[in-house]
Amino acid sequence: MTMNKLKYISLALSLLLLTGACEQEVIELTQPEPDLTNVGADPCSGGAGQANFSKFIAIGNSFVAG
């Protein structure tokens, strides 16, 4: 009985030490500065842009499509 009790105490102590050793990094969130270069421009009068959609790559099959 004492050996079994010693095993549970040592297991609980090691679990306590493992969980106490973890430290969480604090991440401060900040909002980015707004882009004010196109303020007042009409969004419907924009040009074609530079996006190139001539190639399409699909990774996976129909089960992972979404």
Side-chain angles (χ1 to χ4, degrees), residues 3-64:
M3 190 64 152
N4 199 12
K5 189 185 249 186
L6 182 64
K7 182 172 74 171
Y8 286 124
I9 290 174
S10 64
L11 181 64
L13 183 64
S14 64
L15 184 64
L16 182 67
L17 288 174
L18 284 175
T19 57
C22 298
E23 183 177 325
Q24 185 175 358
E25 180 181 348
V26 177
I27 300 173
E28 294 184 22
L29 299 176
T30 59
Q31 295 216 356
E33 294 290 325
D35 183 19
L36 301 176
T37 56
N38 293 329
V39 174
D42 185 18
C44 295
S45 66
Q50 297 177 356
N52 183 4
F53 297 108
S54 62
K55 293 182 182 180
F56 176 75
I57 298 175
I59 299 174
N61 56 8
S62 62
F63 294 113
V64 295

